[in-house]
Amino acid sequence: MKVERFGVYLRVASLERSRAFYEPVLGRQPYVSNAQIVGFDMAGALFALYANSAEEVARGRNVVPYIRVQSADAEFARLRTLDVELLDDRVILEGPFKLFRFADPGGNVVGL
């Protein structure tokens, strides 16, 4: 298999609401945005939001994408200032990894 790109798609209830949430959380503007999708370039991978009202799905907790950052501690403190719903009360140490999770307005969980 020759992989050219990797990405994660989150189904959201509202593209506008989710875009307004993720732009400050990710600290960047999307590189693609239209009526169906809002996509952020994350270290060469695609983190995309899309809304599809044609089929009913259970939102949130279906997929937990993770974003590797330089400092989990610094990002935890930064997201706390944005009033983001943090799902962990502190940064967790699991072996060599430091991580925490947060939820977006639609209940989707993301790990940093």
Side-chain angles (χ1 to χ4, degrees):
M1 174 187 313
K2 184 177 179 183
V3 177
E4 294 183 1
R5 186 166 178 95
F6 172 77
V8 174
Y9 289 79
L10 288 181
R11 180 177 288 178
V12 297
S14 166
L15 276 178
E16 290 145 5
R17 185 173 169 206
S18 295
R19 178 180 179 160
F21 174 82
Y22 277 106
E23 282 181 3
V25 166
L26 300 176
R28 67 191 66 217
Q29 298 290 311
Y31 81 96
V32 62
S33 178
N34 58 43
Q36 292 81 32
I37 191 170
V38 174
F40 298 89
D41 185 346
M42 302 296 295
L46 175 67
F47 181 76
L49 314 168
Y50 75 101
N52 181 351
S53 59
E55 52 187 82
E56 192 172 324
V57 296
R59 288 182 170 73
R61 310 212 195 284
N62 294 317
V63 173
V64 180
Y66 80 91
I67 301 168
R68 184 176 176 175
V69 295
Q70 215 168 36
S71 171
D73 295 307
E75 290 302 321
F76 186 86
R78 186 181 71 82
L79 293 186
R80 181 173 270 160
T81 68
L82 295 175
D83 292 325
V84 170
E85 181 186 356
L86 298 169
L87 301 177
D88 299 299
D89 60 355
R90 60 182 168 72
V91 174
I92 299 165
L93 183 61
E94 287 188 359
F97 302 105
K98 287 179 131 182
L99 58 101
F100 68 92
R101 297 164 302 134
F102 66 87
D104 74 5
N108 295 299
V109 177
V110 178
L112 283 182

